[in-house]
Amino acid sequence: MYYIIAIVAGTFIGWLTNILAIEMLFRPQKSFIVFGKQLPFTPGLIPRHKKRMLAMVTKKTTKLFLDSFSSNQIDELSPQYKLFNQALDSHWASYIFLPPIKRKKLYKQLMIKIKEEAQIRNSIEQMIQKQINTYNISELESTVKAIALSSLRGIKLIGAGAGAIVGLLTAIIGGL
């Protein structure tokens, strides 16, 4: 009976600690102050480092976005080139006076300008950062949990399994 209680207790503790660890990624969203001191691990990991994470995501997204524009070779099937042509075709004069060869030249010049001018890159980065900043922690938490649901279940089960093993070992050592 002692072994069963130790295994059940270990399983429960392992499972619970992994649930807490997962929750502590996102929660609490604000610091807790007790007797004038901030409690450790408040706010949670992601809320605490939100600004730094968003800055890193912004930089990476901007780089990937700008790198998707190839100024050396024009792929007429690329989404960027199609978007460029759709924008031009929205005005009747450009549709008539910009034949394909001139469009390609204009597109190439535009892509070189976007990729090489720091002010344009900074403007694009600021637009991306503004959009990323609108994504709040609760939405991020929901998104991560929805995507990683099966993995998070596995993490909880691993915690329960590890806890069961620790409980069994504790019972064996305690029984000696």
Side-chain angles (χ1 to χ4, degrees):
M1 185 67 164
Y2 173 70
Y3 291 107
I4 293 172
I5 292 171
I7 292 170
V8 170
T11 301
F12 178 73
I13 291 168
W15 174 76
L16 185 63
T17 55
N18 278 14
I19 288 175
L20 287 172
I22 291 166
E23 291 300 318
M24 287 175 67
L25 290 172
F26 300 98
R27 298 179 187 277
Q29 292 186 2
K30 296 191 180 340
S31 298
F32 288 138
I33 308 296
V34 177
F35 303 119
K37 300 245 186 217
Q38 180 179 330
L39 287 179
F41 309 112
T42 67
L45 180 70
I46 292 173
R48 178 182 296 162
H49 299 288
K50 179 185 176 187
K51 286 183 182 175
R52 197 171 95 203
M53 288 171 52
L54 292 179
M56 291 170 72
V57 168
T58 298
K59 290 232 181 270
K60 187 69 171 175
T61 304
T62 303
K63 182 180 178 346
L64 290 170
F65 175 73
L66 292 174
D67 288 351
S68 73
F69 292 103
S70 174
S71 57
N72 300 333
Q73 204 172 16
I74 297 173
D75 177 7
E76 292 181 28
L77 299 176
S78 75
Q80 294 85 353
Y81 190 68
K82 285 180 180 179
L83 179 63
F84 172 77
N85 278 308
Q86 285 174 340
L88 286 179
D89 291 345
S90 67
H91 192 273
W92 68 270
S94 61
Y95 190 74
I96 294 172
F97 296 109
L98 282 173
I101 193 76
K102 285 190 178 190
R103 286 172 182 251
K104 286 181 182 178
K105 185 177 179 184
L106 181 61
Y107 177 78
K108 190 171 186 174
Q109 290 171 342
L110 183 63
M111 293 309 103
I112 290 170
K113 197 79 156 163
I114 286 173
K115 287 181 86 169
E116 293 178 359
E117 287 231 3
Q119 185 177 358
I120 293 172
R121 289 181 75 89
N122 288 341
S123 294
I124 291 170
E125 188 172 317
Q126 287 171 359
M127 286 188 299
I128 290 172
Q129 184 167 13
K130 183 178 179 185
Q131 289 304 310
I132 289 174
N133 280 332
T134 63
Y135 203 64
N136 71 38
I137 294 297
S138 296
E139 289 175 291
L140 178 62
E141 178 181 7
S142 298
T143 302
V144 169
K145 284 184 175 179
I147 291 169
L149 187 62
S150 62
S151 295
L152 295 176
R153 246 187 240 126
I155 291 169
K156 293 172 191 175
L157 290 174
I158 288 170
I165 292 168
V166 169
L168 177 61
L169 292 174
T170 302
I172 290 170
I173 292 170
L176 293 177

